[in-house]
C-alpha cells in the first residue's frame, strides 16, 4: 500500500497505524485523565469512549474490498485509542468502589482506623473485585473465541494460502475474519450496557471556576510530576509496570513465534494455543486469589511471585540453547505447557499489579494516575517487538529474545522488593488519613444523632409527666 507517498507492505502499514494510535493515546490520556476526576465526567467518558470503540470495531464488518485498507487503518486507530481510554476510566473506578464498600467501612470502624488488619481486609475486598473483573473478561473472551472458531468451521472457505515453510494452509477466509471482528465489537457494546445502567456515577469535586478541563489535565500532570518525590512509590510502580508489562506481552508473542517457526504449527494447533491462554488466565486468577488467602501475602508479594514464575519460564526456554539437550521448548508439548504457565500467570499479574497501584495513588486523582498507568503500558509496547525483530533479523533464532525478557523480570523483582513500600505509599497518597477522617465524621454524626435522640426522649418524657399531672 502507499502511505503518504511511501510504499509499505501490509504488515508495515498495520504497525504504522498502531504506532499512530499509541501516540494519540498518550495525548488523549493526559488531556482527559484529570478531567475524569471532576464532576460526573468519569462515567460520561467511560460511556462515550466505549461506544466509539465498539462502533469502530463493528465497522470492520463492512470492509469488503482491499481498496478500503485506509478505512481499516482509520478504524484501527479509533478503536485502539477508544479501547485504551475506556480502560483508563474503567480502572479508575476500582479504588473508589473499594473505599465506598460497606464491608470496608465496617472494618475500618471496627478497627478504629486503617490499621494493618483493616488494610489487609481492604486489600482482600479489592483483590476480589479486580479478580472477578479480569475473570469475567477472560470468560467472555473464551466464549467469543469459541463462537468465532465455530463460524470459521461452518462458513464456506474462499481459498486458503499455503505456507511455504510448513506446507500447511494457515490463512482463514477473509469474510470470517471481518465477521469475527464485527462480532467482537457488538459483544463489547452489548455487555457494556450492563455497566452503563448499573454503575453509579460517583461524582468527583467540581472543577474550580475559570479553569479549562482539557488544559487542566496537562497542568495537573506538571504539578504531579513535581510531587514525584512525595509519591515515589506510585511513580516507581509506574516505571516497573512499564518494564515488566512489556516483558509478559513479549513472552506471549515469543511463544506464538516458537509454534509457527520452530514447530511449524498449523491453524488448528495455533487456535488451541491461543485458547489455552484465556482459559488458564481465568483459572489462574482464582488460583492465586486462593493462594494469597492461605499464605496471607500482600499484593506486592503476589506480583513478585508471578514474576518469579515468568523468570523460571524464561530460564527453561534458554536451556534449549545448550548443545545436546533434548528439552527447553523443543517440542510441541512443551509449547502447550509454556502457554499454560503464561496463561495462569498473566491474568493474576495484571490483576495484582492494578490493585497494588490503586492502593498507592492519591484519592480524587484516580483518573489522572490511571491515565499514566495506561501510558506506561502502551509506551513500552514497541520495545519488545523491536527487540524481537532485531534479534530474529541478526541471528535467525527467536530463543535469544528470552535473555531480554529474563532481564526485565529479574530487574522488576528487585525493584518491587527494595523500592516499593505499599504502606508508605498509602500514607503518602492520603488514603490512611482519609479513612481516619471518615471515621471521625461517622463518630461525630453518631454523637449528634445520640444527642438529638436524647432530646427527643426528654421531650416525650416531659409530655408524659404533664399528661399524668393533668389526669391527677
Amino acid at each position: 500500500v502507499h502511505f503518504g507517498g511511501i510504499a509499505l507492505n501490509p504488515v508495515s502499514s498495520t504497525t504504522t497505524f498502531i504506532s499512530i494510535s499509541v501516540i494519540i493515546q498518550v495525548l488523549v490520556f493526559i488531556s482527559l485523565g484529570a478531567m475524569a476526576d471532576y464532576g460526573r465526567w468519569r462515567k460520561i467518558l467511560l460511556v462515550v469512549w466505549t461506544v466509539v470503540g465498539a462502533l469502530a470495531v463493528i465497522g470492520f464488518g463492512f470492509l469488503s474490498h482491499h481498496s478500503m485498507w485506509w478505512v481499516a487503518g482509520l478504524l484501527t486507530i479509533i478503536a485502539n485509542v477508544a479501547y485504551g481510554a475506556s480502560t483508563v476510566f474503567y480502572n479508575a473506578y476500582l479504588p473508589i468502589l473499594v473505599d465506598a464498600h460497606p464491608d470496608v467501612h465496617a472494618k475500618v470502624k471496627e478497627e478504629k482506623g486503617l490499621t494493618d488488619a483493616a488494610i489487609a481486609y481492604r486489600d482482600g475486598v479489592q483483590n476480589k473485585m479486580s479478580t472477578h473483573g479480569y475473570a469475567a473478561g477472560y470468560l467472555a473472551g473464551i466464549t467469543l473465541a469459541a463462537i468465532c472458531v465455530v463460524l470459521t468451521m461452518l462458513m464456506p472457505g474462499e481459498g486458503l494460502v499455503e505456507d511455504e515453510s510448513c506446507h500447511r494452509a494457515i490463512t482463514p477466509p477473509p469474510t470470517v475474519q471481518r465477521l469475527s471482528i464485527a462480532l467482537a465489537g457488538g459483544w463489547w457494546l452489548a455487555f457494556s450496557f450492563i455497566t452503563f445502567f448499573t454503575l453509579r456515577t460517583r461524582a468527583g469535586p467540581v472543577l474550580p471556576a475559570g479553569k479549562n478541563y482539557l488544559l487542566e489535565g496537562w497542568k495537573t500532570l506538571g504539578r504531579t510530576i513535581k510531587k514525584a518525590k512525595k509519591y515515589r512509590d506510585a511513580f516507581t510502580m509506574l516505571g516497573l509496570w512499564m518494564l515488566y508489562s512489556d516483558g509478559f506481552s513479549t513472552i506471549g508473542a515469543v511463544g506464538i513465534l516458537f509454534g509457527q517457526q520452530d514447530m511449524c504449527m498449523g491453524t488448528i494447533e495455533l487456535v488451541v494455543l491461543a485458547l489455552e491462554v484465556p482459559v488458564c488466565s481465568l483459572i489462574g486468577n482464582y488460583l492465586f486469589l486462593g493462594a494469597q488467602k492461605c499464605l496471607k501475602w500482600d499484593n506486592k508479594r503476589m506480583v513478585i511471585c508471578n514474576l518469579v514464575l515468568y523468570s523460571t519460564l524464561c530460564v527453561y526456554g534458554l536451556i534449549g540453547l545448550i548443545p545436546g539437550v533434548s528439552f527447553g521448548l523443543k517440542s510441541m508439548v512443551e509449547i502447550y505447557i509454556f502457554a499454560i504457565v503464561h496463561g495462569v500467570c498473566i491474568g493474576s499479574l495484571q490483576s495484582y499489579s492494578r490493585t497494588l497501584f490503586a492502593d498507592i495513588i492519591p484519592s480524587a486523582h484516580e483518573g489522572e494516575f490511571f491515565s499514566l498507568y495506561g501510558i506506561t503500558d502502551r509506551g513500552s509496547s514497541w520495545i519488545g517487538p523491536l527487540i524481537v525483530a532485531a534479534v530474529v533479523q541478526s541471528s535467525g533464532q527467536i530463543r535469544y529474545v528470552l535473555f531480554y525478557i529474563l532481564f526485565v523480570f529479574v530487574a522488576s523483582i528487585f525493584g518491587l522488593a527494595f523500592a516499593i513500600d505499599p504502606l508508605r505509599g498509602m500514607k503518602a497518597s492520603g488514603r490512611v488519613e482519609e479513612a481516619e477522617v471518615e471515621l471521625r465524621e461517622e463518630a461525630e454524626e453518631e454523637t449528634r444523632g445520640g444527642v438529638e435522640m436524647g432530646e427527643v426522649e426528654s421531650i416525650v418524657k416531659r409530655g408524659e409527666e404533664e399528661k399524668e399531672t393533668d389526669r391527677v
Side-chain angles (χ1 to χ4, degrees), residues 77-100:
I77 293 172
I78 296 172
N80 211 22
V81 172
Y83 173 73
S86 63
T87 302
V88 166
F89 306 127
Y90 164 78
N91 286 336
Y93 264 101
L94 178 62
I96 296 171
L97 294 176
V98 172
D99 289 335

Side-chain angles (χ1 to χ4, degrees), residues 315-334:
V315 171
Y316 183 82
L318 290 171
I319 290 175
L321 290 172
I322 302 174
V325 176
S326 60
F327 61 92
L329 297 184
K330 290 188 175 182
S331 68
M332 199 172 292
V333 173
E334 288 177 300

Side-chain angles (χ1 to χ4, degrees), residues 157-419:
E158 300 176 19
L160 302 182
V161 177
E162 291 288 331
D163 181 69
E164 295 180 357
S165 60
C166 297
H167 304 291
R168 304 174 91 168
I170 61 171
T171 304
T175 300
V176 175
Q177 286 183 335
R178 293 188 286 109
L179 181 60
S180 298
I181 295 173
L183 185 59
W187 186 284
W188 180 12
L189 183 61
F191 282 94
S192 293
F193 279 107
I194 299 174
T195 300
F196 297 164
F197 291 113
T198 60
L199 182 64
R200 289 172 54 186
T201 301
R202 301 191 181 276
V206 179
L207 183 70
K211 291 189 175 182
N212 181 279
Y213 278 109
L214 298 179
L215 293 179
E216 188 62 20
W218 293 88
K219 292 179 181 178
T220 303
L221 176 63
R223 291 193 294 266
T224 302
I225 292 175
K226 290 180 181 179
K227 296 179 181 179
K229 187 176 182 179
K230 178 181 179 181
Y231 303 132
R232 60 175 176 173
D233 290 288
F235 277 91
T236 302
M237 182 62 194
L238 284 173
L240 294 174
W241 169 247
M242 182 176 181
L243 196 62
Y244 69 77
S245 65
D246 181 56
F248 66 68
S249 297
T250 305
I251 201 171
V254 167
I256 295 294
L257 289 174
F258 264 123
Q260 287 178 323
Q261 295 182 3
D262 292 13
M263 306 300 160
C264 284
M265 284 183 165
T267 303
I268 300 300
E269 290 92 346
L270 290 175
V271 167
V272 172
L273 196 66
L275 287 176
E276 263 192 83
V277 176
V279 170
C280 294
S281 296
L282 175 62
I283 297 171
N285 269 285
Y286 290 108
L287 182 66
F288 279 99
L289 188 64
Q292 183 188 31
K293 188 175 181 180
C294 293
L295 297 172
K296 301 186 185 302
W297 283 2
D298 60 10
N299 295 333
K300 187 178 86 169
R301 286 185 180 181
M302 296 307 295
V303 173
I304 292 175
C305 177
N306 278 280
L307 291 175
V308 169
L309 288 174
Y310 264 126
S311 300
T312 304
L313 200 61
C314 292
V315 171
Y316 183 82
L318 290 171
I319 290 175
L321 290 172
I322 302 174
V325 176
S326 60
F327 61 92
L329 297 184
K330 290 188 175 182
S331 68
M332 199 172 292
V333 173
E334 288 177 300
I335 297 298
Y336 285 129
I337 296 174
F338 178 96
I340 290 173
V341 177
H342 171 55
V344 167
C345 291
I346 188 171
S348 173
L349 182 57
Q350 289 172 326
S351 179
Y352 282 113
S353 297
R354 182 172 66 178
T355 52
L356 175 59
F357 184 68
D359 279 340
I360 56 180
I361 60 176
S363 179
H365 292 272
E366 291 84 3
E368 175 191 350
F369 272 83
F370 269 107
S371 68
L372 296 175
Y373 190 77
I375 289 171
T376 52
D377 184 15
R378 305 301 190 278
S380 64
S381 60
W382 58 273
I383 300 175
L386 181 64
I387 290 177
V388 170
V391 169
V392 173
Q393 183 69 26
S394 59
S395 67
Q397 175 61 269
I398 187 68
R399 198 179 299 269
Y400 289 117
V401 178
L402 293 174
F403 280 112
Y404 160 71
I405 302 174
L406 178 62
F407 166 77
V408 163
F409 289 145
V410 172
S412 299
I413 290 170
F414 279 96
L416 283 162
F418 299 106

